[in-house]
Amino acid sequence: MEGIKITKEVDARGSFCPGPLMEMIRLIRSAQVGDVVAVISADEGTKKDLPAWIKKAKHELIAEEPVEGGATRFICRKLH
Amino acid sequence: MAKNILILGGGTGGSIVANILARSLSPQEATITVITASPQHIYQPYQLYIPFGYQDPRKIARSERSLLHRRVALVVDPVEALDIKNQTVVCRSHKSYPYDYLVIATGSTVDEQQIPGFKEGADHFYTPEAAFVLYEKLQNFNGGTIVVGIGGLPYKCPVAPIEFTFMLEEFLTKKAIRQQSEIIYTFPLNDVFNIKTAADYIKADFDKRNIKTELFFNLSEIHPEKKIAESIEGTELSYDLLVMTPPHKGATFLRGHEIADADGWVQTDRHSLKVAQLENVWSLGDTTNLPISKAGSTAHFQAPVIAKQICAAIRKETVDPEKVKYNGHVACFIESGYGKATMLDFDYEHPPQPPPPTEFIHFQKLALNKFYWYLIPKALI
Ligand SMILES: Cc1cc2nc3c(=O)[nH]c(=O)nc-3n(C[C@H](O)[C@H](O)[C@H](O)COP(=O)(O)OP(=O)(O)OC[C@H]3O[C@@H](n4cnc5c(N)ncnc54)[C@H](O)[C@@H]3O)c2cc1C
């Protein structure tokens, strides 16, 4: 994503649900308000659960970027 | 010359590995030492029964020495440092112990400090002491809202909070205060459990018994004075009694160690159980970073895989990694209340299909509780 600086990213490929979601929760817990963080995952369950969690937690899902090999980079801004 | 095998942790996993090795290897082949933190071995599943008055907390531990083969040396001295390069372990007494082969089985401990307000505001049954405090509170409970939940992933015995909830529902009903009470179960994920097939069964039973759920609830803070539990998702739950599984961590000396992550979970191969690609170090039980249940049964099924590899290494035999491997097997009973239980039995390839709860499965669990001391740590089954 151009113009957006990712403060911290975790590559969670090879880890299955809830691993990638827990990585996102850990990143959000330790980030400052306004920080942008990202998790890369190829897990099917995560594709549904991670955006659902971001919505429930009222943060902003900036993008779901495809990454080579069928994985997705979930980019999220901490809003509160 | 005899090889030096060190086993760190004298709980379920460490005791089983030590006893299998003592029976398999001659004194000329190896000396076997368990280094542990306490002279006692606690049968932790009994802690689930303490809050309801079904189990006396003074009767859930035995001497670790009595559970070990006479050829196993026992050192009670908590490990404070592990030097992988020089193959030594240093204990609290500053004594150091060299090893040729190392097995890490130091389990997991609760870390109440991680959540502000936890110590003052929450109860749990993850230590015998806390379980007894909860017993006293439940005796004096006369109705209100009880929130039961998970304060952080991963935690040991993933089904224990569900069992507690089922047993609590029965307890309140028998005390004739169920009508005046609300039970709310919280879970950090979007379901009541992290294995889909089990979650479906549990959710259906929760609905039948009018147990409410609050999902995606990742505990952030407890406000004991206002009696509110707050999540990072911004949900606030009022409670009269809060029963929260505390966040768990690996042993202190492992936290941030080169072979583990910041919380002390040891990098472990899912099949060989070797640590961080080292040829002479293994781990099992709660301390591994494997995404499977932290349960006694996990350690039980893992132990022979490690013992076989150590025996082969000492005898300079080759092992076929396809034959000697851990397949992710876990088997856990789930107490459902009203004298019945069901069971989760699964491995890496096969998810659990819990059968309907029966009295027979409940008696199997009670039998295991009774016979644990004679069969499991001694590695007779
Ligand atoms: C309430 C409750 C209910 C449970 N119910 C079940 C159940 O129904 N079924 C099931 O399969 N499992 C159950 N469990 C989980 C089970 O008890 C654990 O998963 C199991 O004991 C793990 O074995 P372990 O060998 O990895 O660790 P443990 O058995 O916990 O042993 C760890 C050992 O390491 C020692 N140690 C710790 N730190 C150090 C150190 N620094 N140096 C040296 N030694 C150290 C400790 O003293 C201890 O002896 C339950 C747990 C609880 C709390």
Side-chain angles (χ1 to χ4, degrees), chain A residues 8 10 19 31 34-35 48:
Chain A
K8 223 170 169 198
V10 170
D35 280 359
K48 190 169 106 276

Side-chain angles (χ1 to χ4, degrees), chain B residues 254-276:
Chain B
L254 292 168
R255 297 177 198 166
H257 194 282
E258 63 188 283
I259 57 158
D261 66 15
D263 290 335
W265 308 123
V266 177
Q267 295 163 35
T268 308
D269 183 89
R270 68 205 294 261
H271 290 307
S272 70
L273 305 173
K274 280 189 175 141
V275 168

Side-chain angles (χ1 to χ4, degrees), chain A residues 40-52:
Chain A
I40 304 177
S41 167
D43 174 56
E44 273 308 310
T46 300
K47 281 192 181 147
K48 190 169 106 276
D49 282 356
L50 215 145

Side-chain angles (χ1 to χ4, degrees), chain B residues 208-226:
Chain B
K208 248 190 267 165
R209 300 197 206 181
N210 195 20
I211 295 165
K212 306 219 162 64
T213 54
E214 179 62 44
L215 305 178
F216 272 155
F217 187 91
N218 285 277
L219 185 66
S220 61
E221 190 169 354
I222 297 167
H223 304 279
E225 65 302 334
K226 291 191 259 174

Side-chain angles (χ1 to χ4, degrees), chain B residues 8-15 35-38 40-48 64 77-80 105-109 125-127 156-157 159-160 163 248 251-253 284-287 293-299 330-333 365 368-369 372:
Chain B
L8 311 184
T12 304
S15 305
I35 304 183
T36 194
S38 158
Q40 291 209 312
H41 181 124
I42 296 178
Y43 181 55
Q44 298 168 45
Y46 266 151
Q47 289 165 206
L48 172 68
E64 171 64 7
D77 194 358
V79 175
E80 294 208 329
T106 39
S108 55
T109 47
F125 49 89
Y126 274 77
T127 64
K156 71 179 128 191
C157 196
V159 294
E163 297 182 277
H248 280 59
T252 318
F253 75 95
L284 78 162
D286 292 357
T287 194
S293 301
K294 295 194 183 302
S297 76
T298 309
V330 180
C332 286
F333 292 104
K365 171 145 184 167
L368 175 67
N369 290 344
Y372 173 82

